[in-house]
Amino acid sequence: MKLTSEKIIVVVGRMIDALGSLMFLKLLAISITKADMGSYLLASSLLAVVLTASFSAFDQGLLRNIADYSKHTILPRRYSAMVTAYALLALTLGVIVSLIMTMGSLGNSLHTVLIPWVFWLACDAIKNLNLTVASGLRSRTLIAIATGVDYTSRILILSLLALYTSPSPTMIIGLLAVSSLAASSVYLLGQRDLVARFSWTDIRITLHDSLTFCWPMIIWGLFGWLQNMSNRWLLDYFTDLSVVAEYGVLVSIASFPVTALLGVIVTYIVPILYERENKHQGSSLDAVVKVAVYCIPAFSMLVLAAGWWHKELVSLLSAAEYAVHSHMLPWIVASASFSAICSILIYAIYAQRRISSLLLANTLPGIFSLAFGYGAVQEYQLDGAILTLILGHLVAGSMFIITYLRARSASGISGTASRGLHER
């Protein structure tokens, strides 16, 4: 694969993201107690479920439509409309979720952080929207700069807080909201040409366009969250916040390199994949297989590194007290890598606008994780949560393969025909 300036910028941006995340986790691990870490991890998982079941789905719909909006010179109106819509929707959802959390006994440890959490939700939603638009326009340098500002802000603020006090979960969530706001400011400055006057009709049409494409994502967003985050809440229910912290830190360390590598691939290939599919229907089916095969050696290296230096990695990237279960790190990395490689295949289905066919693949792993995890965590606590996570990744990866093969069979395009299409 030819190395171009665009690829280099994508890699740099993702390296900033991965290194920034690791540095922030390290600072948290040495600056706060395990109980406070557990509270923060629960708050971040609550943010994830709201983002995944709503904003992330709309982001994917917008990303798919950016090329059409640009072609018809209506992107500025659509972009400005979505920023406003996201702000209003985030505040509304934030208030609703906060009221639900305070009315029940669920997540008692989060009751004191709900106000800054709503602010964090709004800032993060708008930041991700800006990232989506920049990705669709292939503004790689802007993405790298904004990501750098995001992590620099949060690391500097946390470092200053740690010098004078022991940061509380409320402070941590507040600084994350500020860092997201700083990144959004960079995006807005870099994309200021897209700021334009709009009407409520623009908001309605843009949301409708995204919803037409992404409605299955809203359905399966909750199930994706169950696969990745439900173990935190089960551990909180059956054990305590310190165990939540041990599990969350270990999984975060295992997920960072896999997510970073997958992010480089997806950030680069998705806009190109969509453009090519628009020109040559079916061309994405072979393209994603080639990308997935190219990725196998890189992910294998991650697994080997986790196997050789698991204890050193966990101690280095967090703190020594989190390394008790480090021997499980390579197994988590291996299962996550399998799921990540397989997930590349389904971007051909996104490109073909047939995402309703992904519904089962994106719901079954979540159902499995909740059903199996409830008994496993109750019986084996932390070990049960890790086992559930590993099996959930294997189920997800297998479903991605099955879904891709079905889509390929339904398309009626053979590998030879697809290659011929490329040649023409």
Side-chain angles (χ1 to χ4, degrees), residues 316-348:
L316 175 66
L317 299 176
S318 58
E321 61 262 32
Y322 289 100
V324 178
H325 296 272
S326 66
H327 60 280
M328 296 303 299
L329 187 69
W331 296 102
I332 300 174
V333 174
S335 62
S337 296
F338 172 72
S339 179
I341 292 171
C342 296
S343 72
I344 295 171
L345 300 176
I346 68 171
Y347 283 97

Side-chain angles (χ1 to χ4, degrees), residues 214-231:
C214 74
W215 66 265
M217 299 181 197
I218 296 176
I219 296 175
W220 74 52
L222 176 60
F223 292 94
W225 179 87
L226 288 174
Q227 179 192 347
N228 296 305
M229 298 290 182
S230 61
N231 285 329

Side-chain angles (χ1 to χ4, degrees), residues 40-51:
Y40 158 70
L41 291 171
L42 288 179
S44 64
S45 70
L46 184 63
L47 182 85
V49 68
V50 178
L51 290 176

Side-chain angles (χ1 to χ4, degrees), residues 366-379:
I367 296 171
F368 168 82
S369 296
L370 181 61
F372 183 86
Y374 188 89
V377 173
Q378 183 180 25
E379 183 69 24

Side-chain angles (χ1 to χ4, degrees), residues 6-21:
E6 185 179 14
K7 292 185 178 74
I8 293 173
I9 295 172
V10 169
V11 172
V12 169
R14 284 297 171 174
M15 286 180 61
I16 293 171
D17 192 3
L19 292 175
S21 297

